[in-house]
Amino acid sequence: MKPIAVNDIRKILKGKIITGPVDWNVEDAIYYNRHDYTRRNSLLFASRGEAINWMEIDRKGPSLVITDKSSINVKDVLPNTTVMQVTSLVQSYWKFIDYYRNQFRLPVVTITGTCGKTTTKDMIKHMLSEKWNVHASVSSQNEPRRSFPYLMGIDEQTDAAVFEHGLGNSGNIKHQCMIYQPTIGIITNIGVHHLDGCVNLEGYIKAKEEIIGGIKDGGTLILNADDQNSKKLRIHRFKGKIIYFGMDEKSDFRASRITYGEGGMDFMLHVDRLEYNAFVPGYGEHQVSNALAALAAVREMGMDLKAALSRLKTYKNMSRHLEFSSGKNGCTIIDDTWTNNPTSVEAALKVLDSIGKGKKVILILGDINRLGNFEKKYHREIGSMVAERNIHALITIGIKAEEIARQAMRDGSSANIRIFKDVSEIGNRLDHLFDDQSIVLIKGPMSSRGMIEFAESLKR
């Protein structure tokens, strides 16, 4: 955080100092009892209904408490704490955010989408980081409550910032955009997820759409030209620049001649009537799509495309994102236990269509959560996708995933199908399936520690 003098904060918020010293600088800001309070010289927004531990605050002081409590007993406040009273804490909180964000004239990229958010974010950071100081959200820790601390991570040394949006309910992305005020917004794709919070697919699309209204005036929106649900977005009111990426001929950043290479995907990149040989580590056309979105963003931020493509080649994929390992009895394990939704399952199956030819393909699929009233529908659709393929064995783990197996059976799948209610039931019952001709995809939700540990146990 860029340090700010206590007296300057008082002027910005039109607050009243009740007690405590003012001749020091704030170096961190949090919402009390929502965010981790670990640093000295912190500003804490504390609402009127919040019970305040003055001893803890003073111990970590100097501290500045901003509150709209109508009455404060100054005898409770210890010497290392400054208290500023404001009329409305909510208004003061947003006024402070707006003031701080506008201290910086730098590109801020935010990303939403059903799949590919974290990968696209990390690609952007990796490509820029050779010469720029890039601040980014951590891994896929993208919940709205983290947005304020992430904003505070921008300081005078920051050249660019890139964050992903978490979406659990309608309004989440709008809230985050109010904090980040992005100059570039990316929607990687829109499948189905979080239907419990958005009611149905239409509600989910509208929730993703919130990023469009959240981009700063004159900013840039980057969209997937191949994605059918992205075509339903209402973009007519957007006044900035729109860049499309994909394999579609109308894409501004277009990929053609996509092939599986050593450890990743080779493709031809077409931009402004020029062609570039490109490579992205990681398998699947979806990985090419992620790369196109990232390339469009860094080019928009001023990076030379040839330099970006050179950096892209050295990108390292995150663990448990279609991660290949040697497994039991010489089989190949593909660990994709990072996230689980219908879109990512379909992408993983398409990868298997290419690399699984001539192999014994074994699928281990877990529950897909947060599908609301459409839970059975989408699990059954995955069962139908499995039945269309030449699969040696299908193993489902979990009550919800059982629908995948049942539908595959109804559709006449020739796979050896096994159903387990919990991963603890499996033990070594599947070991006989694995040999040096087997390729095993294990896919489950990141919330399932059991699935993650099971995937690890299969690796040599």
Side-chain angles (χ1 to χ4, degrees), residues 22 31 55 78 84 91 119 141 247 262 299 360-361 380-381 414 420-421 425 450:
V22 295
Y31 210 108
M55 189 173 293
L78 299 174
M84 182 188 301
Q91 289 179 10
T119 298
Q141 297 173 22
M247 293 73 177
E262 182 64 38
R299 167 73 164 332
K360 285 171 50 181
V361 175
R380 288 169 180 169
E381 286 187 5
S414 60
F420 296 93
K421 291 196 180 331
E425 298 177 3

Side-chain angles (χ1 to χ4, degrees), residues 278-290:
F279 174 82
V280 58
Y283 289 122
E285 287 192 0
H286 67 281
Q287 187 75 336
V288 175
S289 184
N290 295 334

